[in-house]
Amino acid sequence: MTEPSKLPHHGVPEHQPAAGGIAARARASAAPQYLTGLNPEQRDAVETLDGPVLVLAGAGTGKTRVLTTRIAHILSQGRARPHEILSVTFTNKAAREMKLRLGQMLGQAVEGMPWLGTFHSIGGRILRIHAELVQLKSNFTVLDVDDQVRLLKQLLQAENIDDKRWPARMLAGLIDGWKNRGLTPSQVPAGEAAVFGNGKGGKLYASYQERLKILNAADFGDLLLENIRLFREHPDVLRQYQNRFKFILVDEYQDTNVAQYLWLRLLSQAASKPGVPLSAVIPGRIEDANPESRGNEDSSRDSGSGPSDHPGMTEDPLPASRAREQIAHPGLAPSSPLKNICCVGDDDQSIYGWRGAEVDNILRFEHDFPGAKVIRLERNYRSTGHILAAASHLIAHNEGRLGKTLRTEDVDGEKVTVTGSWDSEEEARAIGEEIEELQRAGENLNEVAILVRASFQMREFEDRFVTLGLPYRVIGGPRFYERAEIRDALAYLRVINSPADDLAFERIVNVPKRGLGDATVQMLHDHARKRRIPLFEAARAVVETDELKPKARGSLRDLILHFDRWRARREVTSHTELAEIVLDESGYTEMWQKDRSADAAGRLENLKELVRSMEEFENLQGFLEHISLVMDRDGGADDEAVSLMTLHSAKGLEFDNVFLPGWEEGLFPSQRTLDEQGRAGLEEERRLAHVGLTRARRRAKLYFATNRRIHGTWSTTIPSRFLDELPAPNVEITESKGGSGWGGSGGYGPSRFDNVESFGSSYTTPGWQRAQANRARNQNRNGPGRGGFEESQSSFQNSRNDTFSRNKRAPMVIEGELVAKSTGTASEFSLDDRVFHQKFGYGNVVKIDGNKLTIAFEKAGEKKVVDSFVERA
DNA sequence: CGAACCTTTGAGTTA
DNA sequence: CAAAGGTTCG
């Protein structure tokens, strides 16, 4: 057992004596309404307003409630006004949620919380105010990954670096990593900078930053890094914000990276002393580093291309891991007074290490914020006993954790189930059936979720649910604004708004096709570089000459005229109308209307949604400013549906029934994470498993398949080690239900996974696992246990043998399964009707059976689908 | 020069 | 199996 905090808690002296008096009186009198119902720890977390506070909030312990109540408390105690509270979250969703709940608690006084938002949106807002101090204009563009890569490609070309050997994507990743660690080009350790492009990595980073300034653009990392630079180089600006923010609250602190940590540290220092040495928080100050660290684990051992590949690195005196450690926690100034900062997080839910998050930030909080009070929330109000026990037992296998013991007062409930199935298809079928069973038992589908490790797992479920007619929705997935059609549309608007936005111009110059191919663009580039003007201006100049062929020249001139006209219209037309005009006149809408592919209709729908969402904004400028940060498609579909998402996007959510498929070695834990991060990676995967389990209120159901298709070829897998780490008393092994339907006819025989009942005895023994592994090796040679059957199919896969695989599917749809959904009424469709389906595209009805249609799709082949999923084309 | 076709390669989580 | 890149044809 760990005591709440070993350190004595010294409250920072009261800033506002008058307000303090009120606070004291309030505390003495009856507790305000909003405090009732909080348990003692929660209440402590809400009421401890002075000094640094770390709230270790396990899953389901009321974290959001504590945060919002704390804000309410600060406000009602008169300790600060709404605009004096800085409250940061990671996702827009979390920010929205907090605003909503604050609103419920306080009435609608929430509009006045301008500094409640994500790290990036708040960083971006500050940056826009002081843009000129970091060589930007306040209307700078926020680049998406695509733009970044395109820009880097150009730089690589300019440096004559083979982008085969040194992919732009990789450089983007490196730069992103550096920015996450708060490193400007000059601060990147020489050895690391040399790893890319024959030693040119650092130089490329520097010129990338230069180019960004010329383009008046910032990437995602800059929103924080440039903020830090701003604060460092302009202490007066920093002081202004230090003065403004009387209280700082941070959600999901375990997910903060070094840059975010530095940013928080700068802001959390009390501004009363202008003389606080800023150098104290400059990253990379190795000499100040604190040697006392938890760096003994060999978890950070770099596998693969280590320093040995690069002899030039030997001059680097520090192993990468130690350098990171020291950069992560540069010398602090213990003497500098700290403001009232409250960080809420759970080290057991840190799942973003790959994105630069430093679990260390939370593990070392007491060290970084001396005098911090640590409060543990360990009462779980979400899950039943068995589920919580399973999750706790699993996570206890991790070593690097602060340690919490979650308790629940709920009943034991149902045991966690583990189900094995033959392959991923059977897994999907089994889960589909169980969900239908739950539905028959009266469960609401909104309370059912399927959480997968990797998004490619989702397709199988989608396919299955479509044939079952089971409504589902995919959460997360490709972000709305990351979709090609949205980015294209935005690119048009960006060029209108800011003619110097070369990346946007390049994106749409030949979309839709106008006969302006690579050659033309290259020519424009040369022209632009020579005269140091934006591409658009170069284009304007070039059409006046006869350097281009008449065809290209003509369409380029048309394009320029279009843009001129659109820009002129901007004055007299609303921005939403302008967007419609642009999409129309540019031929962009037409391009998708002509497109016969399955997702074209969806894309047009998305474009409409985009225009609709513009209405919320004042003008085009305002819209573009917020777009890359705020866009979330929530498409208001409130209908009952199963949720399908990755484990990562499930964090913070909860459901009565949670299905967790794919618990197999290699997939979960992911082999790649293990290869790249070693033991630290394994622990992160385990935390992910813990997150998955703790999403469940009443039922958690785990699955593993013996065969899974990876990269299009079948391979045999063994159950995840995490299954072995579950406590047997809380787990029940069940037989896959989906398999019974065709297991006999399929003739799988002895290789079928059939001894799952022996969990706890042979199942967990190394011998059993070795046997599985051996079987896996043998079967890999022959295909999954069908004596080469699959193998022969895959070798014919290029010879248009589609019908074969389709036919194989057909008998798998067992009529009985569909009865539950069948309405019995005749379908409103008739044979040969032309229909459209969101997922499969266009097709013709070839068979009707009640409300179930068999449709021959143009692209997707023949499928059985419930009629409510298609519309007349 | 651009579009269509063919080959290769690669699938992990995201503000 | 899919997307992305490279090659060839019109």
Side-chain angles (χ1 to χ4, degrees), chain A residues 80-109:
Chain A
R81 286 168 287 172
H83 66 272
E84 294 170 328
I85 300 173
L86 171 66
S87 181
V88 278
T89 62
F90 270 83
T91 62
N92 290 305
K93 199 176 74 189
R96 263 201 309 272
E97 168 89 8
M98 275 183 67
K99 280 189 175 155
L100 187 76
R101 287 170 69 164
L102 258 178
Q104 287 165 353
M105 214 176 285
L106 299 172
Q108 72 290 59

Side-chain angles (χ1 to χ4, degrees), chain A residues 150 171 185 198 215 260 306 394 397 419 498 550:
Chain A
R150 223 139 15 100
L171 182 56
N198 302 324
L215 294 168
Q260 287 155 342
L394 176 76
H397 288 81
T419 310
S498 133

